Amino acid sequence: MAKLTRRGFIGTTLAAGAVRAVPTVASKTGSRRILTLVYDKSLGMMRAVEKIVPLR
């Protein structure tokens, strides 16, 4: 199991919460989701960041 620091634990918790909330918000509004992979130094690995962009 990976060793999590306090910052890593908070980041992981927020990401897990966002995964649950984002699909419901995106489906209710007319928007597009953009998925980007970024390197998170606090976690020491890549993670996915999902951005919601409203349609024009």
Coordinates of all heavy atoms in Angstrom, one line a residue:
M1 N 0.8 -1.2 0.0 CA 0.0 0.0 0.0 C 0.9 1.2 0.0 O 1.9 1.3 0.6 CB -0.9 0.0 1.2 CG -1.9 1.1 1.3 SD -3.1 0.7 2.5 CE -3.7 2.4 2.8
A2 N 0.4 2.3 -0.7 CA 1.2 3.5 -0.8 C 1.2 4.3 0.5 O 0.2 4.3 1.2 CB 0.7 4.4 -1.9
K3 N 2.3 4.9 0.8 CA 2.4 5.8 2.0 C 1.8 7.1 1.6 O 2.3 7.8 0.7 CB 3.8 5.9 2.4 CG 4.4 4.6 2.9 CD 5.9 4.7 3.1 CE 6.3 5.6 4.1 NZ 7.8 5.6 4.4
L4 N 0.8 7.5 2.3 CA 0.1 8.8 2.0 C 0.5 9.8 3.1 O 0.5 9.5 4.3 CB -1.4 8.7 2.1 CG -2.0 8.1 0.8 CD1 -3.5 8.0 1.0 CD2 -1.8 8.9 -0.4
T5 N 0.9 11.0 2.6 CA 1.1 12.1 3.5 C -0.2 12.8 3.8 O -1.2 12.5 3.2 CB 2.1 13.1 2.9 OG1 1.5 13.6 1.7 CG2 3.5 12.5 2.6
R6 N -0.2 13.7 4.7 CA -1.4 14.5 5.0 C -1.9 15.2 3.8 O -3.1 15.2 3.4 CB -1.1 15.5 6.1 CG -2.3 16.3 6.5 CD -1.9 17.1 7.7 NE -2.7 18.3 7.8 CZ -2.5 19.4 8.5 NH1 -1.4 19.4 9.3 NH2 -3.3 20.4 8.5
R7 N -1.0 15.8 3.0 CA -1.4 16.5 1.8 C -2.0 15.6 0.7 O -2.9 15.8 0.1 CB -0.2 17.3 1.2 CG -0.6 18.0 -0.1 CD 0.6 18.7 -0.6 NE 0.9 19.9 0.1 CZ 2.0 20.7 0.0 NH1 2.9 20.3 -0.9 NH2 2.2 21.7 0.7
G8 N -1.3 14.4 0.6 CA -1.8 13.4 -0.3 C -3.1 12.8 0.0 O -4.0 12.6 -0.8
F9 N -3.4 12.6 1.3 CA -4.7 12.1 1.8 C -5.8 13.1 1.5 O -6.8 12.8 1.0 CB -4.6 11.8 3.3 CG -5.9 11.4 3.8 CD1 -6.4 10.2 3.6 CD2 -6.7 12.3 4.6 CE1 -7.7 9.8 4.1 CE2 -7.9 12.0 5.1 CZ -8.4 10.7 4.8
I10 N -5.5 14.4 1.7 CA -6.5 15.4 1.5 C -6.8 15.5 0.0 O -7.9 15.6 -0.5 CB -6.1 16.8 2.0 CG1 -6.0 16.8 3.5 CG2 -7.0 17.9 1.5 CD1 -5.4 18.0 4.2
G11 N -5.7 15.5 -0.9 CA -5.9 15.5 -2.3 C -6.7 14.3 -2.8 O -7.6 14.4 -3.7
T12 N -6.4 13.1 -2.3 CA -7.1 11.9 -2.7 C -8.6 12.0 -2.3 O -9.5 11.6 -3.1 CB -6.5 10.7 -2.1 OG1 -5.1 10.7 -2.4 CG2 -7.1 9.4 -2.6
T13 N -8.8 12.5 -1.1 CA -10.2 12.6 -0.6 C -11.0 13.6 -1.5 O -12.2 13.3 -1.8 CB -10.2 13.1 0.8 OG1 -9.4 12.1 1.6 CG2 -11.6 13.1 1.4
L14 N -10.4 14.7 -1.8 CA -11.1 15.7 -2.6 C -11.4 15.1 -4.0 O -12.5 15.4 -4.6 CB -10.3 17.0 -2.7 CG -10.3 17.8 -1.4 CD1 -9.4 19.0 -1.6 CD2 -11.7 18.3 -1.0
A15 N -10.4 14.4 -4.6 CA -10.6 13.8 -5.9 C -11.7 12.8 -5.9 O -12.5 12.8 -6.8 CB -9.3 13.2 -6.4
A16 N -11.8 12.0 -4.9 CA -12.8 11.0 -4.8 C -14.2 11.7 -4.7 O -15.2 11.2 -5.2 CB -12.6 10.1 -3.6
G17 N -14.3 12.8 -3.9 CA -15.6 13.5 -3.8 C -16.0 14.1 -5.1 O -17.1 14.1 -5.5
A18 N -15.0 14.6 -5.9 CA -15.3 15.2 -7.2 C -15.8 14.2 -8.2 O -16.6 14.5 -9.0 CB -14.0 15.9 -7.7
V19 N -15.3 13.0 -8.1 CA -15.7 11.9 -9.0 C -17.2 11.6 -8.8 O -17.9 11.3 -9.8 CB -14.8 10.6 -8.8 CG1 -15.4 9.4 -9.4 CG2 -13.4 10.9 -9.3
R20 N -17.6 11.7 -7.6 CA -19.0 11.5 -7.3 C -19.9 12.6 -7.7 O -21.1 12.4 -8.2 CB -19.3 11.2 -5.8 CG -18.5 10.0 -5.4 CD -18.8 9.7 -3.9 NE -19.6 8.5 -3.8 CZ -20.2 8.2 -2.8 NH1 -20.3 8.9 -1.7 NH2 -20.9 7.0 -2.7
A21 N -19.5 13.9 -7.6 CA -20.3 15.0 -7.8 C -20.3 15.5 -9.3 O -21.3 16.0 -9.8 CB -19.8 16.2 -6.9
V22 N -19.2 15.4 -10.0 CA -19.1 16.0 -11.3 C -20.0 15.3 -12.3 O -20.7 16.1 -13.1 CB -17.6 15.9 -11.8 CG1 -17.5 16.2 -13.3 CG2 -16.7 16.8 -11.0
P23 N -20.2 14.0 -12.4 CA -21.1 13.5 -13.4 C -22.6 14.0 -13.3 O -23.2 14.2 -14.3 CB -21.1 12.0 -13.2 CG -19.8 11.7 -12.6 CD -19.5 13.0 -11.7
T24 N -23.0 14.2 -12.1 CA -24.4 14.7 -11.9 C -24.5 16.2 -12.3 O -25.5 16.5 -12.9 CB -24.9 14.6 -10.4 OG1 -24.0 15.3 -9.6 CG2 -24.9 13.1 -10.0
V25 N -23.5 17.0 -12.0 CA -23.5 18.4 -12.4 C -23.4 18.5 -14.0 O -24.1 19.3 -14.6 CB -22.4 19.1 -11.8 CG1 -22.2 20.5 -12.3 CG2 -22.5 19.2 -10.3
A26 N -22.6 17.7 -14.6 CA -22.3 17.8 -16.0 C -23.6 17.3 -16.8 O -23.9 17.8 -17.9 CB -21.1 17.0 -16.4
S27 N -24.3 16.3 -16.3 CA -25.4 15.9 -17.0 C -26.6 16.8 -16.9 O -27.5 16.8 -17.8 CB -25.8 14.5 -16.5 OG -26.3 14.6 -15.1
K28 N -26.7 17.6 -15.9 CA -27.8 18.6 -15.7 C -27.6 19.8 -16.6 O -28.6 20.4 -16.9 CB -27.9 19.0 -14.2 CG -28.4 17.8 -13.4 CD -28.5 18.3 -11.9 CE -29.0 17.1 -11.1 NZ -29.0 17.5 -9.6
T29 N -26.4 20.2 -16.8 CA -26.2 21.4 -17.6 C -25.7 21.0 -19.0 O -25.2 20.0 -19.2 CB -25.1 22.3 -16.9 OG1 -23.9 21.5 -16.9 CG2 -25.5 22.7 -15.5
G30 N -25.9 22.0 -19.9 CA -25.4 21.7 -21.3 C -23.9 22.1 -21.3 O -23.5 23.2 -21.6
S31 N -23.1 21.1 -21.1 CA -21.6 21.3 -21.0 C -20.9 20.1 -21.5 O -21.4 19.0 -21.8 CB -21.2 21.6 -19.5 OG -21.6 20.5 -18.7
R32 N -19.6 20.3 -21.7 CA -18.7 19.3 -22.2 C -17.6 19.1 -21.2 O -17.2 20.0 -20.5 CB -18.0 19.8 -23.5 CG -17.1 18.7 -24.1 CD -16.4 19.2 -25.3 NE -16.8 20.4 -26.0 CZ -16.2 21.0 -27.0 NH1 -15.1 20.4 -27.4 NH2 -16.7 22.1 -27.5
R33 N -17.2 17.8 -21.0 CA -16.2 17.5 -20.0 C -14.9 17.3 -20.8 O -14.8 16.6 -21.8 CB -16.6 16.2 -19.3 CG -17.7 16.4 -18.4 CD -17.9 15.3 -17.4 NE -18.9 14.4 -18.0 CZ -19.1 13.2 -17.4 NH1 -18.4 12.8 -16.4 NH2 -20.1 12.4 -17.9
I34 N -13.8 17.8 -20.2 CA -12.5 17.7 -20.8 C -11.6 17.0 -19.7 O -11.5 17.5 -18.6 CB -11.8 19.0 -21.2 CG1 -12.7 19.7 -22.3 CG2 -10.4 18.8 -21.7 CD1 -12.3 21.1 -22.6
L35 N -11.0 15.9 -20.1 CA -10.2 15.1 -19.1 C -8.7 15.3 -19.5 O -8.3 15.2 -20.6 CB -10.5 13.6 -19.3 CG -9.8 12.7 -18.3 CD1 -10.3 13.0 -16.9 CD2 -10.1 11.2 -18.6
T36 N -7.9 15.7 -18.4 CA -6.5 16.0 -18.6 C -5.7 15.2 -17.6 O -6.2 15.1 -16.4 CB -6.2 17.5 -18.4 OG1 -7.1 18.3 -19.2 CG2 -4.8 17.8 -18.7
L37 N -4.6 14.6 -18.0 CA -3.7 14.0 -17.0 C -2.6 14.9 -16.6 O -2.0 15.6 -17.4 CB -3.1 12.7 -17.6 CG -4.0 11.6 -17.9 CD1 -3.3 10.5 -18.7 CD2 -4.6 11.1 -16.7
V38 N -2.4 15.1 -15.3 CA -1.4 15.9 -14.7 C -0.6 15.2 -13.7 O -1.0 14.2 -13.1 CB -2.0 17.2 -14.0 CG1 -2.7 18.1 -15.0 CG2 -2.9 16.8 -12.9
Y39 N 0.7 15.6 -13.5 CA 1.6 15.0 -12.5 C 1.4 15.7 -11.2 O 1.6 17.0 -11.1 CB 3.0 15.1 -13.0 CG 3.9 14.4 -12.0 CD1 4.0 13.0 -12.0 CD2 4.7 15.1 -11.1 CE1 4.8 12.3 -11.1 CE2 5.5 14.4 -10.2 CZ 5.6 13.0 -10.2 OH 6.4 12.4 -9.3
D40 N 1.0 15.0 -10.2 CA 0.7 15.6 -8.9 C 2.0 15.3 -8.0 O 2.2 14.2 -7.7 CB -0.5 15.0 -8.3 CG -1.0 15.7 -7.0 OD1 -0.1 16.5 -6.4 OD2 -2.1 15.6 -6.6
K41 N 2.7 16.4 -7.7 CA 4.0 16.2 -6.9 C 3.7 15.7 -5.5 O 4.4 14.9 -5.0 CB 4.7 17.5 -6.8 CG 5.4 17.9 -8.1 CD 6.2 19.2 -8.0 CE 6.8 19.6 -9.3 NZ 7.5 20.8 -9.1
S42 N 2.6 16.1 -4.9 CA 2.2 15.7 -3.6 C 1.9 14.2 -3.5 O 2.2 13.5 -2.5 CB 1.1 16.5 -3.0 OG -0.1 16.2 -3.7
L43 N 1.3 13.6 -4.5 CA 1.0 12.2 -4.6 C 2.1 11.4 -5.2 O 2.3 10.2 -5.0 CB -0.3 12.0 -5.4 CG -1.6 12.5 -4.8 CD1 -2.7 12.3 -5.8 CD2 -1.9 11.8 -3.5
G44 N 3.0 12.1 -6.0 CA 4.1 11.4 -6.7 C 3.6 10.6 -7.8 O 4.3 9.6 -8.2
M45 N 2.5 10.9 -8.5 CA 2.0 10.1 -9.6 C 1.1 11.0 -10.4 O 0.7 12.1 -10.1 CB 1.3 8.9 -9.1 CG 0.1 9.2 -8.3 SD -0.7 7.6 -7.7 CE -2.1 8.3 -6.9
M46 N 0.7 10.4 -11.6 CA -0.2 11.1 -12.4 C -1.7 11.0 -11.9 O -2.0 10.0 -11.3 CB -0.2 10.5 -13.9 CG 1.1 10.6 -14.5 SD 1.6 12.3 -15.0 CE 0.5 12.5 -16.4
R47 N -2.5 12.0 -12.1 CA -3.9 11.9 -11.8 C -4.7 12.6 -12.8 O -4.2 13.4 -13.6 CB -4.2 12.4 -10.4 CG -4.0 13.9 -10.3 CD -4.3 14.3 -8.8 NE -4.1 15.7 -8.6 CZ -5.1 16.6 -8.7 NH1 -6.3 16.3 -8.9 NH2 -4.9 17.9 -8.5
A48 N -6.0 12.2 -12.9 CA -6.9 12.8 -13.9 C -7.6 14.0 -13.3 O -8.0 14.0 -12.2 CB -7.9 11.7 -14.3
V49 N -7.6 15.1 -14.1 CA -8.4 16.3 -13.8 C -9.4 16.5 -14.8 O -9.1 16.6 -16.0 CB -7.4 17.5 -13.7 CG1 -8.2 18.8 -13.4 CG2 -6.3 17.3 -12.7
E50 N -10.7 16.6 -14.4 CA -11.8 16.7 -15.3 C -12.3 18.2 -15.2 O -12.6 18.7 -14.1 CB -12.9 15.8 -14.9 CG -13.9 15.6 -16.0 CD -14.9 14.5 -15.7 OE1 -15.0 14.1 -14.5 OE2 -15.5 14.0 -16.6
K51 N -12.4 18.8 -16.3 CA -12.8 20.2 -16.4 C -14.1 20.3 -17.1 O -14.3 19.6 -18.2 CB -11.8 21.1 -17.1 CG -12.0 22.5 -17.0 CD -11.0 23.3 -17.8 CE -9.5 23.0 -17.5 NZ -8.6 23.9 -18.3
I52 N -15.1 21.0 -16.6 CA -16.4 21.2 -17.3 C -16.4 22.5 -18.0 O -16.2 23.5 -17.4 CB -17.5 21.1 -16.3 CG1 -17.5 19.7 -15.6 CG2 -18.9 21.3 -16.9 CD1 -18.5 19.6 -14.4
V53 N -16.7 22.4 -19.3 CA -16.7 23.6 -20.1 C -18.1 23.8 -20.7 O -18.7 22.9 -21.3 CB -15.7 23.5 -21.3 CG1 -15.8 24.8 -22.2 CG2 -14.3 23.3 -20.8
P54 N -18.8 25.0 -20.4 CA -20.1 25.2 -20.9 C -20.2 25.3 -22.4 O -19.2 25.8 -23.0 CB -20.6 26.5 -20.2 CG -19.3 27.1 -19.8 CD -18.3 26.1 -19.6
L55 N -21.2 24.8 -23.0 CA -21.4 24.9 -24.5 C -21.9 26.3 -24.8 O -22.6 26.9 -24.0 CB -22.4 23.9 -24.9 CG -22.0 22.4 -24.8 CD1 -23.2 21.5 -25.2 CD2 -20.8 22.1 -25.6
R56 N -21.5 26.8 -26.0 CA -21.9 28.1 -26.3 C -23.3 28.1 -27.0 O -23.7 27.3 -27.7 CB -20.9 28.7 -27.2 CG -19.6 28.9 -26.5 CD -18.6 29.5 -27.4 NE -17.3 29.5 -26.7 CZ -16.2 30.0 -27.3 NH1 -16.2 30.5 -28.5 NH2 -15.1 29.9 -26.6

